[in-house]
Amino acid sequence: MTRKSNATSPTVSHIIDTFENELKEFDQLDNDQVERLIALIRDDPAINGSKVQEAIFPSENESEH
Amino acid sequence: MLKIESITIKEFRGIRDLTLNFKKQSFGICGPNGTGKSGVVDAIEFALRGDVTRLSGQGSGDLSVGKHGPHVDAGEKSENASVRIKAHLYAIGKDVEIYRSVASPQTAVVEPTDDDVVSAVEELVRHPEFALSRREIAKYIMTPATQRATDVQNLLRLSEIDKIRKALTAAMGTEKRAMDAASRSLLDARQDLARSLDLEEIDPSQILDAANQRRSILKLEPIEELNEGTKLAEGIEQDGENGEQVSKRIFSERISSAIEFTTGLDADTSERRTDLVEALTQLRDDAEAFSTLRRKKLTSLGLELIEDGSCPLCETTWVEDELREFLLARLETAKEVDEKLKTLTSEADYLSEKMKEANEYLKAVRSMIPPLKLFLLMKPISLRISRLSRRLERFKDPFGDKQKLNELIEEIDGAWLSDDTETVQVLREVQEAIEKLPDESAEAAAKKELLIASNLYSNSVSRKAAFQEAKRKHSISEQISTQFHTTASEQLTAIYEAVSADFTKFYRSLNRGDEDDFEGELVTEGKKLNFNVDFYDRGKYPPGAFHSEGHQDGMGLCLYLALAKHTLGERFDFSVLDDVLMSVDTGHRREVCRLLTREFPNTQFILTTHDKVWLHYMRSEGLIRDSQLFSGWSVETGPKVWDDSDVWESIDKELEQDKTSEAASLLRRYLEHVGYVLSDGLRAPVRFRADGRYDLGDLLPAGLSRAQKQLKRAEQAAKSWENETKEKEIGEIRSKFAKVSETIQVDYWLVNPLVHYNEWSNFTSSDFKTLADSYKELIGILRCDNCTAFLHTHLHRGKEVALSCSCQTMHYGLSKKRRVISNLASARIIKS
């Protein structure tokens, strides 16, 4: 009973699904960016601004660091 | 979620040892107040979540599951206090056994231990909303709009949405700041470029003209156009020395700007610094405000770290939503201080920006030291730069620590002025050195200025690229954030509309014929979630404005059901309604049963009530098949259970052991129940009692007498319609009824409950067996074999139209056929 569950409410899941579909229509984002961002949103309970930036602009941020 | 097959409760709350078989179907638990019904609800909640809301929620004070979960007399057996549930998990199609003991409430023993089973059981912990009690109804109805928004959003698990929204907004904010910094950097580079060519405007054509003027002096080809790769000093050979070119004019301008800015700094910031020092001192000396501020930081952090309902600081176990609510309430109290803090932060930011600007000037001056060969001034300028950097450090997050706050106050109040004065002195020394430089020839000046401008132009080109990249990132992060906000808002609006529509549908069905045009709506307004309902076409008002308490309770139940449907969707297959139905208007109880049966056919409801008529409705409307009656409770034994489905069998068992008194007690309680149901269902006139404590003598004779009269009416009606089959059927029922009534001398035995109770106790077993069998036969006559419901009267527009059971197998019209009177006959009647 210590394993974490990633279950989300149907309401939240539905919102994230819709958001994902809309992001896929964005010309400025490629599939990898969308996948990384959605995976972060779905699975990381400690999501924050820095993680979002890393998900969207991974290589650029790494090179800047 | 799941459906429960059975629950076994040992030494838990008011229960010693009890097993209930729900058979994965809806189940009713009925008994007077204080007989242990809610103990079963607590046990279900404990088994599924490891917690009991009544022992850990708001207002529970020092209560805890560990101390107050075990039965009060459990003593050393308290370690045996446990609940075991056998259930079926429909989502994964597996049976599961969940065992939880008070000794380790956070650890459920789950069998089988398959990953998907364990994961499904863990999911239950996150859904406390399966249980709704009478007092929780108010949570959705009579609550401030901001609190309702929190409660509903918690139920819909929307805190995750808020977290995502904040993360996306934070990312956008960071990219915005990066873009602004890149923009300022580009502007600075362009201004430096303009200054290097002695220009007021940063205009490409002017830059090109100015560069070509200097190239003309040096007899170099003019540059046709400015592009990213343009070299303004193309064709010029640099002198032997590397490093920055010394241009007397450019250096003079730089040092003048630095001196002007630094000397004006004190006056420009004086008033704001005085105000800020005063405000910061007040904050430092206000112990309560300072403590609130520090607590706020801890509370905000705590909110982020809540996991599985455990306090991140002390690891006390909470119901997760309640811990969240508690911390949010604490944050609310810190709002005033928080607002003040925002102002202070903004003022401090202004000052730190000024300091950063001063530092940039100093760095520009430092770059002129090597070409000017003023090495003695390098150290004091570098010292000032590093001192300014250290001072800037003091502006970082100074409010959570008193010592840091003191340092900031000291910083702003004291060293500011003297430090600037010293800096200006150093700058003036640099200025004097520049003024001493020999005047240059036009060619030399043109060469140096072109070399400097060329470097600055390359710099501005790269800064422009950096700015454009920062702008692109910001634009993407802004679009993502805006899109999420739009998606979430649209979906939430759609959800609230869908919840409103379901709520309206449910409430209308509960109040059919009374509020057919009723409408309710959930509407967001900023952080509020307003809930307004129609009041008989007079407009929309909050539920508490005009509707009765009974109607409000009906609304609470309907809103809960609508929200649960949207929260759990197909997974809303289990729900406990703890005495909730009792609060619904008496006239609408059947409708509640129909609503639950019709709208939630796949949901297992565990319903508790202290009203036997309610229980009867649940059964007759097909909501439940089985139930458990709690006839009493004692601290030593826990609930006294009694099942009316095998009452006759129980009576026979008592009589077999010659326990007439116990058999009499059982029969009496059952007949009270039957009297209650018959009187209510047949609308029997009952002698009024203000205390509502109707007993056997009040109810059974009234119910039976009414049944006789209604059967007689039905027989007459059938006769008027010349329906011989029905007439014969009813005639046989009446005849049988009369015969059995006579056998048991109903009128005699029911006149005085005390007398007849004692009389029964004095019967021999065989005599009492005859009496009990007669009652069984009498009651059987009025009860449908198919649906087990008693005959009850049906109304249409207030008029009694039929006598029937719930499945209509027994159905007898009460309206007689109207006689048709000829014109001649009617004229005679009028004349007479």
Short mmCIF file of all heavy atoms in Angstrom, two decimals, chain A residues 1 3 5 7-12 14-15 18-19 22 26 28-29 41 45 48-49 52-53 56-57 60-61 64, chain B residues 108 115 119 122-123 126 156-157 160 163-164 167 171 174-175 472-473 476 479-480 483-484 487 491 495 566-567 571:
data_model
loop_
_atom_site.label_atom_id
_atom_site.label_comp_id
_atom_site.label_asym_id
_atom_site.label_seq_id
_atom_site.Cartn_x
_atom_site.Cartn_y
_atom_site.Cartn_z
N MET A 1 0.82 -1.22 0.00
CA MET A 1 0.00 0.00 0.00
C MET A 1 0.84 1.26 0.00
O MET A 1 0.39 2.32 0.38
CB MET A 1 -0.92 0.01 1.22
CG MET A 1 -2.04 -0.99 1.19
SD MET A 1 -3.23 -0.69 -0.11
CE MET A 1 -4.07 0.76 0.53
N ARG A 3 2.78 2.04 -2.81
CA ARG A 3 3.04 2.46 -4.18
C ARG A 3 2.16 3.66 -4.55
O ARG A 3 1.00 3.73 -4.15
CB ARG A 3 2.74 1.30 -5.12
CG ARG A 3 3.47 1.33 -6.41
CD ARG A 3 3.41 -0.05 -7.03
NE ARG A 3 2.05 -0.55 -7.06
CZ ARG A 3 1.15 -0.18 -7.96
NH1 ARG A 3 1.47 0.69 -8.89
NH2 ARG A 3 -0.06 -0.67 -7.94
N SER A 5 -0.14 6.05 -6.79
CA SER A 5 -1.07 5.87 -7.91
C SER A 5 -1.12 7.17 -8.70
O SER A 5 -1.12 8.25 -8.14
CB SER A 5 -2.46 5.56 -7.37
OG SER A 5 -3.40 5.74 -8.38
N ALA A 7 -3.56 7.86 -10.66
CA ALA A 7 -4.93 8.06 -11.10
C ALA A 7 -5.37 9.51 -10.96
O ALA A 7 -5.04 10.17 -9.99
CB ALA A 7 -5.83 7.17 -10.28
N THR A 8 -6.07 9.98 -11.96
CA THR A 8 -6.58 11.34 -11.96
C THR A 8 -8.09 11.26 -12.14
O THR A 8 -8.60 10.29 -12.68
CB THR A 8 -5.94 12.12 -13.13
OG1 THR A 8 -4.54 11.98 -13.03
CG2 THR A 8 -6.30 13.57 -13.09
N SER A 9 -8.78 12.31 -11.68
CA SER A 9 -10.24 12.27 -11.80
C SER A 9 -10.63 12.36 -13.29
O SER A 9 -9.88 12.92 -14.10
CB SER A 9 -10.85 13.44 -11.03
OG SER A 9 -10.76 14.61 -11.79
N PRO A 10 -11.79 11.81 -13.65
CA PRO A 10 -12.22 11.87 -15.05
C PRO A 10 -12.29 13.31 -15.56
O PRO A 10 -11.96 13.58 -16.71
CB PRO A 10 -13.61 11.25 -15.02
CG PRO A 10 -13.65 10.42 -13.79
CD PRO A 10 -12.74 11.09 -12.81
N THR A 11 -12.70 14.23 -14.69
CA THR A 11 -12.80 15.63 -15.08
C THR A 11 -11.44 16.17 -15.51
O THR A 11 -11.29 16.76 -16.58
CB THR A 11 -13.31 16.48 -13.89
OG1 THR A 11 -14.46 15.85 -13.37
CG2 THR A 11 -13.62 17.89 -14.31
N VAL A 12 -10.45 15.94 -14.65
CA VAL A 12 -9.10 16.44 -14.93
C VAL A 12 -8.52 15.73 -16.17
O VAL A 12 -7.93 16.37 -17.03
CB VAL A 12 -8.19 16.26 -13.70
CG1 VAL A 12 -6.77 16.68 -14.02
CG2 VAL A 12 -8.72 17.05 -12.53
N HIS A 14 -10.11 14.52 -18.64
CA HIS A 14 -10.78 15.03 -19.83
C HIS A 14 -10.19 16.38 -20.24
O HIS A 14 -9.94 16.63 -21.44
CB HIS A 14 -12.28 15.16 -19.55
CG HIS A 14 -13.05 15.65 -20.73
ND1 HIS A 14 -13.12 14.93 -21.91
CD2 HIS A 14 -13.77 16.77 -20.92
CE1 HIS A 14 -13.84 15.62 -22.77
NE2 HIS A 14 -14.25 16.74 -22.19
N ILE A 15 -9.94 17.23 -19.27
CA ILE A 15 -9.36 18.55 -19.56
C ILE A 15 -7.97 18.37 -20.18
O ILE A 15 -7.63 19.01 -21.18
CB ILE A 15 -9.31 19.42 -18.28
CG1 ILE A 15 -10.73 19.83 -17.89
CG2 ILE A 15 -8.44 20.65 -18.49
CD1 ILE A 15 -10.84 20.53 -16.56
N THR A 18 -8.21 17.05 -23.79
CA THR A 18 -8.61 18.12 -24.72
C THR A 18 -7.44 19.06 -24.99
O THR A 18 -7.18 19.45 -26.13
CB THR A 18 -9.80 18.92 -24.13
OG1 THR A 18 -10.76 18.00 -23.65
CG2 THR A 18 -10.43 19.83 -25.16
N PHE A 19 -6.74 19.40 -23.92
CA PHE A 19 -5.58 20.30 -24.03
C PHE A 19 -4.52 19.68 -24.94
O PHE A 19 -3.96 20.37 -25.81
CB PHE A 19 -5.03 20.54 -22.61
CG PHE A 19 -3.81 21.41 -22.56
CD1 PHE A 19 -3.81 22.68 -23.11
CD2 PHE A 19 -2.66 20.97 -21.92
CE1 PHE A 19 -2.69 23.49 -23.05
CE2 PHE A 19 -1.53 21.77 -21.85
CZ PHE A 19 -1.55 23.03 -22.42
N GLU A 22 -5.45 20.02 -28.52
CA GLU A 22 -5.29 21.39 -29.01
C GLU A 22 -3.82 21.74 -29.23
O GLU A 22 -3.47 22.44 -30.17
CB GLU A 22 -5.98 22.37 -28.06
CG GLU A 22 -7.47 22.43 -28.33
CD GLU A 22 -8.28 22.81 -27.12
OE1 GLU A 22 -7.72 22.88 -26.02
OE2 GLU A 22 -9.50 23.01 -27.27
N PHE A 26 -0.77 23.08 -32.66
CA PHE A 26 0.15 24.23 -32.64
C PHE A 26 1.30 24.00 -33.63
O PHE A 26 2.00 23.00 -33.53
CB PHE A 26 0.76 24.39 -31.24
CG PHE A 26 -0.07 25.20 -30.29
CD1 PHE A 26 -1.45 25.18 -30.35
CD2 PHE A 26 0.54 26.01 -29.33
CE1 PHE A 26 -2.21 25.91 -29.47
CE2 PHE A 26 -0.22 26.75 -28.44
CZ PHE A 26 -1.60 26.70 -28.51
N GLN A 28 4.01 25.79 -33.73
CA GLN A 28 5.29 26.08 -33.07
C GLN A 28 5.82 24.92 -32.25
O GLN A 28 6.96 24.95 -31.80
CB GLN A 28 5.17 27.30 -32.15
CG GLN A 28 4.72 28.56 -32.84
CD GLN A 28 3.22 28.73 -32.71
OE1 GLN A 28 2.45 27.79 -32.81
NE2 GLN A 28 2.79 29.97 -32.50
N LEU A 29 4.98 23.91 -32.00
CA LEU A 29 5.42 22.80 -31.16
C LEU A 29 5.51 21.51 -31.97
O LEU A 29 4.63 21.23 -32.79
CB LEU A 29 4.42 22.57 -30.02
CG LEU A 29 4.31 23.67 -28.96
CD1 LEU A 29 3.20 23.32 -27.98
CD2 LEU A 29 5.63 23.84 -28.22
N ILE A 41 2.52 16.93 -17.15
CA ILE A 41 1.23 17.35 -16.58
C ILE A 41 0.48 16.16 -15.99
O ILE A 41 -0.10 16.25 -14.91
CB ILE A 41 0.39 18.05 -17.68
CG1 ILE A 41 0.94 19.45 -17.94
CG2 ILE A 41 -1.07 18.13 -17.27
CD1 ILE A 41 0.29 20.16 -19.10
N PRO A 45 3.26 15.01 -9.85
CA PRO A 45 2.48 15.79 -8.89
C PRO A 45 3.24 17.04 -8.41
O PRO A 45 2.64 17.95 -7.87
CB PRO A 45 2.22 14.82 -7.73
CG PRO A 45 3.21 13.73 -7.90
CD PRO A 45 3.64 13.70 -9.32
N ASN A 48 6.17 22.14 -11.76
CA ASN A 48 6.38 23.57 -11.51
C ASN A 48 6.87 24.24 -12.80
O ASN A 48 7.03 23.58 -13.83
CB ASN A 48 7.37 23.80 -10.35
CG ASN A 48 8.72 23.19 -10.64
OD1 ASN A 48 9.12 23.06 -11.80
ND2 ASN A 48 9.43 22.80 -9.60
N GLY A 49 7.11 25.55 -12.70
CA GLY A 49 7.46 26.33 -13.88
C GLY A 49 8.75 25.85 -14.54
O GLY A 49 8.83 25.74 -15.77
N VAL A 52 8.23 22.74 -16.51
CA VAL A 52 7.50 23.03 -17.74
C VAL A 52 8.46 23.56 -18.79
O VAL A 52 8.46 23.13 -19.95
CB VAL A 52 6.37 24.04 -17.48
CG1 VAL A 52 5.79 24.56 -18.79
CG2 VAL A 52 5.27 23.41 -16.65
N GLN A 53 9.35 24.49 -18.38
CA GLN A 53 10.33 25.04 -19.33
C GLN A 53 11.23 23.95 -19.89
O GLN A 53 11.50 23.89 -21.09
CB GLN A 53 11.20 26.08 -18.62
CG GLN A 53 10.52 27.44 -18.48
CD GLN A 53 11.44 28.39 -17.79
OE1 GLN A 53 11.68 28.26 -16.60
NE2 GLN A 53 11.97 29.34 -18.54
N ILE A 56 9.41 21.95 -22.50
CA ILE A 56 9.16 22.61 -23.80
C ILE A 56 10.45 22.93 -24.54
O ILE A 56 10.55 22.75 -25.75
CB ILE A 56 8.35 23.92 -23.61
CG1 ILE A 56 7.12 23.68 -22.74
CG2 ILE A 56 7.90 24.49 -24.96
CD1 ILE A 56 6.37 24.96 -22.38
N PHE A 57 11.45 23.43 -23.80
CA PHE A 57 12.70 23.85 -24.45
C PHE A 57 13.90 23.11 -23.85
O PHE A 57 14.78 23.73 -23.25
CB PHE A 57 12.92 25.36 -24.27
CG PHE A 57 11.73 26.20 -24.60
CD1 PHE A 57 11.09 26.93 -23.60
CD2 PHE A 57 11.23 26.27 -25.90
CE1 PHE A 57 9.99 27.72 -23.89
CE2 PHE A 57 10.12 27.05 -26.18
CZ PHE A 57 9.50 27.77 -25.18
N GLU A 60 17.70 23.84 -25.56
CA GLU A 60 18.12 25.23 -25.41
C GLU A 60 18.53 25.54 -23.98
O GLU A 60 19.56 26.12 -23.72
CB GLU A 60 17.00 26.20 -25.81
CG GLU A 60 16.68 26.20 -27.26
CD GLU A 60 15.38 25.48 -27.53
OE1 GLU A 60 15.28 24.28 -27.26
OE2 GLU A 60 14.46 26.14 -28.00
N ASN A 61 17.67 25.06 -23.02
CA ASN A 61 17.97 25.36 -21.62
C ASN A 61 19.26 24.70 -21.17
O ASN A 61 20.04 25.26 -20.44
CB ASN A 61 16.81 24.90 -20.73
CG ASN A 61 15.66 25.89 -20.82
OD1 ASN A 61 15.85 26.99 -21.35
ND2 ASN A 61 14.51 25.51 -20.34
N GLU A 64 22.13 26.59 -22.44
CA GLU A 64 22.31 27.86 -21.72
C GLU A 64 23.00 27.63 -20.38
O GLU A 64 23.77 28.42 -19.89
CB GLU A 64 20.97 28.53 -21.49
CG GLU A 64 20.50 29.28 -22.74
CD GLU A 64 19.08 29.76 -22.63
OE1 GLU A 64 18.57 29.84 -21.53
OE2 GLU A 64 18.48 30.04 -23.69
N ALA B 108 -3.61 -1.22 4.77
CA ALA B 108 -4.67 -2.18 4.48
C ALA B 108 -4.03 -3.47 3.99
O ALA B 108 -3.09 -3.44 3.22
CB ALA B 108 -5.61 -1.63 3.43
N ASP B 115 -0.90 -6.10 -8.65
CA ASP B 115 -0.67 -4.66 -8.76
C ASP B 115 -1.95 -3.90 -9.06
O ASP B 115 -2.22 -2.85 -8.46
CB ASP B 115 0.35 -4.37 -9.87
CG ASP B 115 1.77 -4.55 -9.37
OD1 ASP B 115 1.92 -4.84 -8.16
OD2 ASP B 115 2.70 -4.43 -10.18
N SER B 119 -3.58 -1.14 -6.65
CA SER B 119 -3.73 0.21 -7.19
C SER B 119 -5.18 0.67 -7.09
O SER B 119 -5.46 1.82 -6.74
CB SER B 119 -3.25 0.21 -8.64
OG SER B 119 -3.35 1.47 -9.19
N GLU B 122 -5.94 1.56 -3.52
CA GLU B 122 -5.32 2.86 -3.19
C GLU B 122 -6.17 4.01 -3.71
O GLU B 122 -6.30 5.06 -3.07
CB GLU B 122 -3.93 2.95 -3.81
CG GLU B 122 -2.90 2.14 -3.08
CD GLU B 122 -1.57 2.13 -3.82
OE1 GLU B 122 -1.51 2.64 -4.95
OE2 GLU B 122 -0.62 1.61 -3.25
N GLU B 123 -6.75 3.80 -4.86
CA GLU B 123 -7.57 4.84 -5.46
C GLU B 123 -8.77 5.18 -4.57
O GLU B 123 -9.21 6.32 -4.50
CB GLU B 123 -8.02 4.38 -6.86
CG GLU B 123 -9.02 5.26 -7.59
CD GLU B 123 -8.47 6.63 -7.95
OE1 GLU B 123 -7.29 6.88 -7.70
OE2 GLU B 123 -9.26 7.46 -8.44
N ARG B 126 -8.55 8.01 -2.12
CA ARG B 126 -8.66 9.37 -2.65
C ARG B 126 -10.09 9.81 -2.89
O ARG B 126 -10.33 10.89 -3.41
CB ARG B 126 -7.89 9.48 -3.97
CG ARG B 126 -6.43 9.20 -3.82
CD ARG B 126 -5.80 9.07 -5.19
NE ARG B 126 -4.51 8.43 -5.08
CZ ARG B 126 -3.39 9.07 -4.78
NH1 ARG B 126 -3.42 10.36 -4.60
NH2 ARG B 126 -2.26 8.43 -4.67
N LEU B 156 -14.48 17.51 -7.47
CA LEU B 156 -14.15 17.24 -8.87
C LEU B 156 -12.65 17.06 -9.08
O LEU B 156 -12.19 16.92 -10.20
CB LEU B 156 -14.66 18.39 -9.77
CG LEU B 156 -16.17 18.54 -9.88
CD1 LEU B 156 -16.54 19.85 -10.59
CD2 LEU B 156 -16.80 17.38 -10.62
N ARG B 157 -11.88 17.12 -7.96
CA ARG B 157 -10.42 16.97 -8.01
C ARG B 157 -9.76 18.03 -8.90
O ARG B 157 -8.90 17.73 -9.73
CB ARG B 157 -10.03 15.59 -8.53
CG ARG B 157 -10.42 14.48 -7.62
CD ARG B 157 -9.50 14.49 -6.39
NE ARG B 157 -9.88 13.47 -5.44
CZ ARG B 157 -10.86 13.58 -4.57
NH1 ARG B 157 -11.58 14.68 -4.52
NH2 ARG B 157 -11.14 12.62 -3.72
N GLU B 160 -5.73 19.78 -8.99
CA GLU B 160 -4.66 19.42 -9.95
C GLU B 160 -4.62 20.42 -11.10
O GLU B 160 -3.55 20.80 -11.57
CB GLU B 160 -4.92 18.03 -10.54
CG GLU B 160 -4.71 16.91 -9.56
CD GLU B 160 -5.12 15.57 -10.13
OE1 GLU B 160 -4.61 15.22 -11.21
OE2 GLU B 160 -5.96 14.90 -9.53
N LYS B 163 -2.88 23.51 -10.04
CA LYS B 163 -1.43 23.30 -9.95
C LYS B 163 -0.80 23.39 -11.35
O LYS B 163 0.24 24.04 -11.54
CB LYS B 163 -1.17 21.92 -9.34
CG LYS B 163 0.21 21.80 -8.75
CD LYS B 163 0.51 20.38 -8.38
CE LYS B 163 -0.10 19.97 -7.07
NZ LYS B 163 0.23 18.56 -6.72
N ILE B 164 -1.46 22.78 -12.32
CA ILE B 164 -0.95 22.81 -13.70
C ILE B 164 -0.97 24.26 -14.22
O ILE B 164 -0.01 24.74 -14.81
CB ILE B 164 -1.80 21.91 -14.61
CG1 ILE B 164 -1.70 20.45 -14.16
CG2 ILE B 164 -1.36 22.04 -16.07
CD1 ILE B 164 -2.74 19.53 -14.77
N ALA B 167 1.86 26.21 -12.79
CA ALA B 167 3.17 25.84 -13.36
C ALA B 167 3.33 26.46 -14.74
O ALA B 167 4.40 27.00 -15.07
CB ALA B 167 3.28 24.32 -13.43
N ALA B 171 6.04 29.31 -15.85
CA ALA B 171 6.97 29.15 -16.98
C ALA B 171 6.85 30.34 -17.91
O ALA B 171 7.86 30.89 -18.37
CB ALA B 171 6.66 27.85 -17.73
N THR B 174 8.58 33.33 -16.36
CA THR B 174 10.04 33.26 -16.47
C THR B 174 10.49 33.64 -17.87
O THR B 174 11.46 34.39 -18.06
CB THR B 174 10.53 31.83 -16.14
OG1 THR B 174 9.96 31.45 -14.89
CG2 THR B 174 12.03 31.76 -16.05
N GLU B 175 9.79 33.12 -18.87
CA GLU B 175 10.15 33.45 -20.26
C GLU B 175 9.91 34.94 -20.55
O GLU B 175 10.66 35.55 -21.30
CB GLU B 175 9.33 32.59 -21.24
CG GLU B 175 9.58 31.10 -21.15
CD GLU B 175 11.02 30.69 -21.49
OE1 GLU B 175 11.80 31.55 -21.91
OE2 GLU B 175 11.35 29.51 -21.29
N ARG B 472 10.40 34.35 -28.99
CA ARG B 472 9.76 33.14 -29.51
C ARG B 472 9.35 32.21 -28.36
O ARG B 472 8.24 31.71 -28.29
CB ARG B 472 10.74 32.41 -30.45
CG ARG B 472 10.19 31.16 -31.09
CD ARG B 472 11.27 30.43 -31.88
NE ARG B 472 12.23 29.77 -31.02
CZ ARG B 472 12.08 28.55 -30.51
NH1 ARG B 472 10.99 27.86 -30.78
NH2 ARG B 472 13.01 28.01 -29.75
N LYS B 473 10.28 32.04 -27.42
CA LYS B 473 9.98 31.15 -26.29
C LYS B 473 8.82 31.69 -25.46
O LYS B 473 7.95 30.94 -25.02
CB LYS B 473 11.21 31.00 -25.40
CG LYS B 473 12.28 30.11 -25.95
CD LYS B 473 13.42 30.13 -24.98
CE LYS B 473 14.42 29.05 -25.18
NZ LYS B 473 15.50 29.13 -24.19
N ILE B 476 5.56 31.11 -27.25
CA ILE B 476 5.09 29.71 -27.17
C ILE B 476 4.54 29.43 -25.77
O ILE B 476 3.44 28.88 -25.62
CB ILE B 476 6.24 28.74 -27.51
CG1 ILE B 476 6.57 28.85 -29.00
CG2 ILE B 476 5.86 27.30 -27.16
CD1 ILE B 476 7.80 28.06 -29.43
N GLN B 479 1.24 31.11 -25.33
CA GLN B 479 0.15 30.44 -26.05
C GLN B 479 -0.28 29.16 -25.33
O GLN B 479 -1.47 28.86 -25.23
CB GLN B 479 0.59 30.10 -27.48
CG GLN B 479 0.60 31.31 -28.38
CD GLN B 479 1.01 30.91 -29.79
OE1 GLN B 479 0.33 30.16 -30.45
NE2 GLN B 479 2.15 31.41 -30.23
N ILE B 480 0.72 28.42 -24.82
CA ILE B 480 0.40 27.18 -24.10
C ILE B 480 -0.41 27.50 -22.85
O ILE B 480 -1.44 26.88 -22.57
CB ILE B 480 1.70 26.42 -23.71
CG1 ILE B 480 2.35 25.87 -24.98
CG2 ILE B 480 1.41 25.31 -22.72
CD1 ILE B 480 3.73 25.26 -24.75
N GLN B 483 -3.83 28.70 -23.79
CA GLN B 483 -4.64 27.59 -24.29
C GLN B 483 -5.15 26.72 -23.14
O GLN B 483 -6.31 26.31 -23.12
CB GLN B 483 -3.82 26.73 -25.26
CG GLN B 483 -4.61 25.61 -25.91
CD GLN B 483 -5.76 26.14 -26.75
OE1 GLN B 483 -5.57 26.90 -27.69
NE2 GLN B 483 -6.99 25.76 -26.38
N PHE B 484 -4.27 26.47 -22.17
CA PHE B 484 -4.71 25.63 -21.04
C PHE B 484 -5.82 26.34 -20.26
O PHE B 484 -6.81 25.72 -19.88
CB PHE B 484 -3.53 25.33 -20.10
CG PHE B 484 -3.90 24.36 -19.02
CD1 PHE B 484 -3.97 23.00 -19.29
CD2 PHE B 484 -4.22 24.80 -17.74
CE1 PHE B 484 -4.36 22.10 -18.31
CE2 PHE B 484 -4.60 23.91 -16.77
CZ PHE B 484 -4.67 22.56 -17.05
N THR B 487 -8.95 26.09 -22.35
CA THR B 487 -9.48 24.72 -22.34
C THR B 487 -10.12 24.41 -21.00
O THR B 487 -11.26 23.92 -20.93
CB THR B 487 -8.35 23.70 -22.60
OG1 THR B 487 -7.71 24.04 -23.81
CG2 THR B 487 -8.89 22.29 -22.68
N GLN B 491 -14.02 23.72 -20.45
CA GLN B 491 -14.44 22.40 -19.97
C GLN B 491 -15.16 22.52 -18.63
O GLN B 491 -16.15 21.85 -18.39
CB GLN B 491 -13.22 21.48 -19.82
CG GLN B 491 -12.52 21.16 -21.12
CD GLN B 491 -13.43 20.42 -22.10
OE1 GLN B 491 -14.20 19.57 -21.70
NE2 GLN B 491 -13.37 20.79 -23.36
N ILE B 495 -18.78 21.46 -17.73
CA ILE B 495 -19.06 20.53 -16.63
C ILE B 495 -20.11 21.12 -15.69
O ILE B 495 -21.06 20.44 -15.31
CB ILE B 495 -17.76 20.22 -15.85
CG1 ILE B 495 -16.88 19.28 -16.68
CG2 ILE B 495 -18.06 19.58 -14.50
CD1 ILE B 495 -15.46 19.17 -16.20
N HIS B 566 -20.42 13.21 -12.33
CA HIS B 566 -19.39 13.82 -13.17
C HIS B 566 -17.98 13.60 -12.62
O HIS B 566 -17.02 13.60 -13.37
CB HIS B 566 -19.66 15.32 -13.35
CG HIS B 566 -20.80 15.55 -14.28
ND1 HIS B 566 -20.64 15.65 -15.63
CD2 HIS B 566 -22.12 15.60 -14.04
CE1 HIS B 566 -21.83 15.79 -16.20
NE2 HIS B 566 -22.74 15.76 -15.25
N THR B 567 -17.89 13.41 -11.29
CA THR B 567 -16.57 13.17 -10.71
C THR B 567 -16.08 11.78 -11.07
O THR B 567 -14.94 11.58 -11.46
CB THR B 567 -16.64 13.24 -9.17
OG1 THR B 567 -17.27 14.44 -8.81
CG2 THR B 567 -15.27 13.19 -8.56
N ARG B 571 -17.42 5.12 -12.80
CA ARG B 571 -16.91 4.54 -11.55
C ARG B 571 -17.79 4.85 -10.34
O ARG B 571 -17.48 4.47 -9.23
CB ARG B 571 -15.48 5.03 -11.29
CG ARG B 571 -14.49 4.42 -12.26
CD ARG B 571 -13.08 4.83 -11.90
NE ARG B 571 -12.88 6.27 -12.11
CZ ARG B 571 -11.85 6.94 -11.64
NH1 ARG B 571 -10.95 6.34 -10.94
NH2 ARG B 571 -11.72 8.23 -11.89
#
